[in-house]
Amino acid sequence: MPAFVVPANYAFETYDDLVAAINDWLDRSDLTGVAGQMIALAEARIRRGVAGYFDEATTSIACTAGVGTLPADFGMARSVVYNGRVLPQYSFSVGSGIPEGSIPQAWSIEAGNLHLWPETSATVTLLYQPSLVALTETTQTNSILDRHPDLYFYGSLMFANGYLANDERAGTFKSLLDEALVEVREYLTRQRFGAP
């Protein structure tokens, strides 16, 4: 259980709220439809900046002949556990150096699948980071908008002002976004590991 919880987001509860706020701040009637593009660009920047710190999930994966299907929302593996033992991650090229047998000794990710070494049938537990759900008209919220709406707001306005060739304001929002990304990374690190 986390040490503390972020209160509900009262700034932008949905994608539509965020679009309305961006359009309001830009105060330009000729930019209808551009907000969605700016949100997508901001999301790409956010994903690179903090997605590795966000959310974790576990699932059991049944592997047959060393191969198991990753979950649909798989983003990045954190660890693979077999019978309470954390297995090391190996690259495909060293797989042939793993001893033979019926007990998994290592794992790798190949072609969208989990691969066990040696190629044995077993069920393992995968701890992974789910991929960030993209905001759209049909997907109105995600974990980052729920907890840290300023990331989307600053990032979207940074790209929007760049689009408008307003370099000064784009720079202002870039600074705000960069600062917010650092704060969120620090917050999530404290939440996961306790005191710095």
Side-chain angles (χ1 to χ4, degrees), residues 84-169:
R85 185 173 66 90
V86 177
L87 302 177
Q89 181 178 6
Y90 280 25
S91 69
F92 176 73
S93 61
V94 300
S96 58
I98 303 291
E100 300 218 2
S102 60
I103 298 174
Q105 299 294 318
W107 62 276
S108 61
I109 302 293
E110 300 168 27
N113 291 305
L114 176 69
H115 197 107
L116 297 180
W117 300 101
E119 297 175 326
T120 184
S121 296
T123 298
V124 295
T125 300
L126 172 69
L127 173 65
Y128 70 101
Q129 171 201 323
S131 56
L132 177 64
V133 176
L135 287 181
T136 64
E137 290 178 355
T138 55
T139 305
Q140 286 282 313
T141 192
N142 65 20
S143 55
I144 291 181
L145 183 66
D146 286 345
R147 295 178 231 167
H148 305 284
D150 53 335
L151 294 179
Y152 272 105
F153 185 67
Y154 296 151
S156 299
L157 287 176
M158 175 187 74
F159 284 109
N161 280 287
Y163 177 81
L164 295 171
N166 189 339
D167 295 339
E168 184 177 340
R169 281 187 59 104

Side-chain angles (χ1 to χ4, degrees), residues 5-6 31 37 41 57 83 101 109 122 124-125 130 155 164 166 171 177 184:
V5 177
V6 178
L31 296 177
Q37 295 172 4
L41 290 170
N83 279 351
I109 302 293
V124 295
T125 300
L164 295 171
N166 189 339
L177 175 62
V184 169

Side-chain angles (χ1 to χ4, degrees), residues 45-46 48-50 53 148 150-151 154 174-190:
R45 175 81 185 272
I46 293 164
R48 290 189 303 272
V50 298
Y53 294 79
H148 305 284
D150 53 335
L151 294 179
Y154 296 151
K174 180 185 183 306
S175 294
L176 290 168
L177 175 62
D178 290 345
E179 183 179 328
L181 285 168
V182 169
E183 290 172 354
V184 169
R185 282 193 296 266
E186 290 173 354
Y187 165 78
L188 293 171
T189 299
R190 284 192 310 271

Side-chain angles (χ1 to χ4, degrees), residues 44-64:
R45 175 81 185 272
I46 293 164
R47 185 177 280 116
R48 290 189 303 272
V50 298
Y53 294 79
F54 239 87
D55 295 335
E56 289 180 332
T58 59
T59 189
S60 293
I61 298 180
C63 299
T64 303

